[in-house]
């Protein structure tokens, strides 16, 4: 959802060069959606960028902060969901660029062959050029012991600093043990839970 790929970007750039009239609307939509998807404050490397002037500490405010003040706009989901709109506009531009290329290259069965090559490049590019991160799938001895036990029961997970690893590990352990998870799965941190999370994680960590 957040990685367009070199092939799609190249086709979109070609659409802007070859057919600016048809692609400029999609380009404007892509630019607006991309800027708004950055949220109200600029982040660099996952951290909010701050600056200090005469002892005053501030942040770089982005256009999304203006929309956030509109009535009922706070009911919307997270800003990065606008990546989907950006990808949709980019896909339309890539289609325009592909259509122009298929017309310029006049060979027998060029269009189907070109479509197969481009589709394969889009499909395998992120896997070959940018490998997806992998995690360890080994099951801990405690989970293996619980899996061998009979009777009822559930798995209770304490808060963890690595919330993604906790979610994936919870699903893996739930599958191995064939037991429910107490409290369900939590995807996002709430600001008010940080002190409790730090305390519980410290109690659960072995020295």
């Amino acid at each position: 959802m957040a990685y367009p790929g070199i092939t799609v970007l190249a086709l979109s750039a070609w659409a802007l060069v070859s057919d600016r009239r048809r692609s400029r609307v999609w380009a404007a939509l892509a630019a607006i959606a991309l800027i708004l998807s950055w949220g109200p404050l600029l982040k660099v490397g996952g951290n909010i960028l701050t600056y200090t002037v005469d002892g005053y500490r501030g942040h770089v405010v982005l256009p999304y902060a203006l929309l956030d003040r509109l009535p009922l706009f706070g009911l919307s989901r997270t800003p990065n969901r606008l990546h989907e709109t950006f990808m949709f506009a980019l896909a339309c531009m890539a289609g325009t660029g592909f259509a122009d290329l298929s017309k310029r290259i006049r060979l027998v069965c060029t269009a189907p062959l070109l479509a197969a090559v481009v589709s394969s490049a889009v499909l395998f590019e992120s896997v070959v050029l940018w490998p997806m991160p992998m995690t360890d799938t080994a099951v801990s001895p405690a989970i293996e012991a619980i899996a061998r036990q009979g009777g009822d029961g559930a798995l209770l997970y304490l808060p963890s600093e690595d919330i993604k690893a906790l979610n994936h590990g919870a699903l893996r352990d739930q599958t191995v043990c064939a037991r429910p998870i107490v409290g369900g799965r939590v995807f996002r941190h709430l600001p008010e839970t940080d002190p409790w999370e730090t305390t519980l994680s410290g109690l659960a960590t072995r020295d």
Side-chain angles (χ1 to χ4, degrees):
M1 187 178 69
Y3 174 66
I6 299 175
T7 304
V8 174
L9 289 176
L11 289 174
S12 301
W14 179 255
L16 286 174
V17 174
S18 61
D19 195 347
R20 186 175 302 176
R21 183 182 60 84
R22 296 180 58 185
S23 59
R24 61 186 178 185
V25 176
W26 294 115
L29 177 61
I32 294 173
L34 179 62
I35 293 175
L36 292 179
S37 68
W38 293 342
L41 301 176
L42 180 61
K43 290 185 178 181
V44 178
N47 300 318
I48 297 178
L49 184 64
T50 61
Y51 62 89
T52 303
V53 178
D54 293 335
Y56 173 78
R57 185 180 180 184
H59 308 285
V60 179
V61 181
L62 298 177
Y64 187 89
L66 299 177
L67 298 179
D68 197 27
R69 299 295 181 179
L70 296 178
L72 302 179
F73 194 82
L75 298 178
S76 62
R77 298 296 297 272
T78 55
N80 60 6
R81 299 289 181 179
L82 290 168
H83 273 303
E84 299 179 16
T85 305
F86 167 71
M87 293 296 183
F88 174 75
L90 212 60
C92 294
M93 294 175 59
T96 301
F98 173 81
D100 182 80
L101 283 178
S102 62
K103 292 179 181 179
R104 292 176 181 270
I105 305 176
R106 299 182 180 277
L107 296 174
V108 180
C109 298
T110 296
L113 180 61
L114 183 61
V117 172
V118 171
S119 299
S120 300
V122 172
L123 180 62
F124 295 105
E125 177 187 0
S126 61
V127 179
V128 177
L129 298 181
W130 307 94
M132 299 298 177
M134 304 296 292
T135 57
D136 187 12
T137 58
V139 180
S140 65
I143 297 299
E144 292 180 350
I146 295 175
R148 292 192 296 267
Q149 296 178 357
D152 299 330
L155 300 179
L156 172 63
Y157 283 87
L158 295 176
S160 172
E161 295 181 359
D162 191 352
I163 192 66
K164 292 183 178 180
L166 172 63
N167 289 332
H168 298 161
L171 283 179
R172 176 200 59 202
D173 296 343
Q174 181 187 27
T175 303
V176 173
C177 296
R179 295 170 183 257
I181 301 176
V182 176
R185 300 173 65 206
V186 179
F187 284 91
R188 296 180 178 86
H189 290 283
L190 298 177
E192 59 270 15
T193 61
D194 286 339
W196 289 103
E197 176 183 336
T198 303
T199 301
L200 293 176
S201 296
L203 293 175
T205 302
R206 186 173 10 176
D207 294 334

